[in-house]
Amino acid sequence: MEIIQAEHERGHVQHAFFKDAMLGRFYAICNCCSCCCGAMQAHRNGTPMLASSGYVSQLNGELCAGCGTCVTACPFSAIEIGATGIEIDQEACMGCGVCVSQCENLALSLVRSPAKGEPLEIMELMNQKM
């Protein structure tokens, strides 16, 4: 978990990959930057290779300073500065949480989005008996 946390703080996105042969358990966890991850590039170019976390980013406008750090940090280009301030494209948001951890004002949080599917609870999977 220390590696995952350190990579998240660097702005990398965690992806869990599965293999049918692993009996429904996760096979590998990648820590990807958006510039060189083939799956993220394919996703941005219209070939969906990634599943949402089951969460989306939500803005608390009262805490937002409008600095744009989240816009730069978002690896899925789901955040932009619009006419009324920070705008989050809920459809494009994959719920990775990179923007949340980069916001110094704590203006962003992740909230469950049933439209995005069920979240992967890695800690629960790790604790299951084999």
Side-chain angles (χ1 to χ4, degrees):
M1 290 304 292
E2 291 174 22
I3 293 170
I4 290 174
Q5 184 63 36
E7 291 299 312
H8 184 76
E9 289 171 5
R10 290 179 62 199
H12 292 171
V13 178
Q14 287 73 44
H15 301 286
F17 290 91
F18 295 83
K19 248 187 161 175
D20 291 335
M22 295 299 291
L23 304 174
R25 290 185 228 122
F26 62 91
Y27 174 67
I29 297 177
C30 291
N31 295 290
C32 302
C33 62
S34 61
C35 66
C36 56
C37 173
M40 290 176 78
Q41 290 175 7
H43 188 86
R44 275 196 305 273
N45 290 319
T47 303
M49 293 186 67
L50 305 172
S52 169
S53 70
Y55 294 84
V56 291
S57 186
Q58 178 177 305
L59 176 71
N60 178 336
E62 293 178 12
L63 297 176
C64 181
C67 66
T69 299
C70 57
V71 175
T72 305
C74 180
F76 296 100
S77 301
I79 306 174
E80 61 183 34
I81 299 177
T84 59
I86 298 296
E87 297 174 359
I88 302 170
D89 180 347
Q90 300 292 309
E91 190 67 30
C93 179
M94 296 297 283
C96 68
V98 170
C99 62
V100 174
S101 63
Q102 299 297 313
C103 180
E104 293 182 8
N105 294 324
L106 307 175
L108 295 166
S109 61
L110 290 179
V111 295
R112 276 285 290 121
S113 176
K116 294 286 190 166
E118 288 298 315
L120 173 64
E121 301 294 349
I122 291 177
M123 293 306 292
E124 286 180 24
L125 288 172
M126 290 173 60
N127 290 327
Q128 287 180 358
K129 293 181 181 180
M130 293 189 185

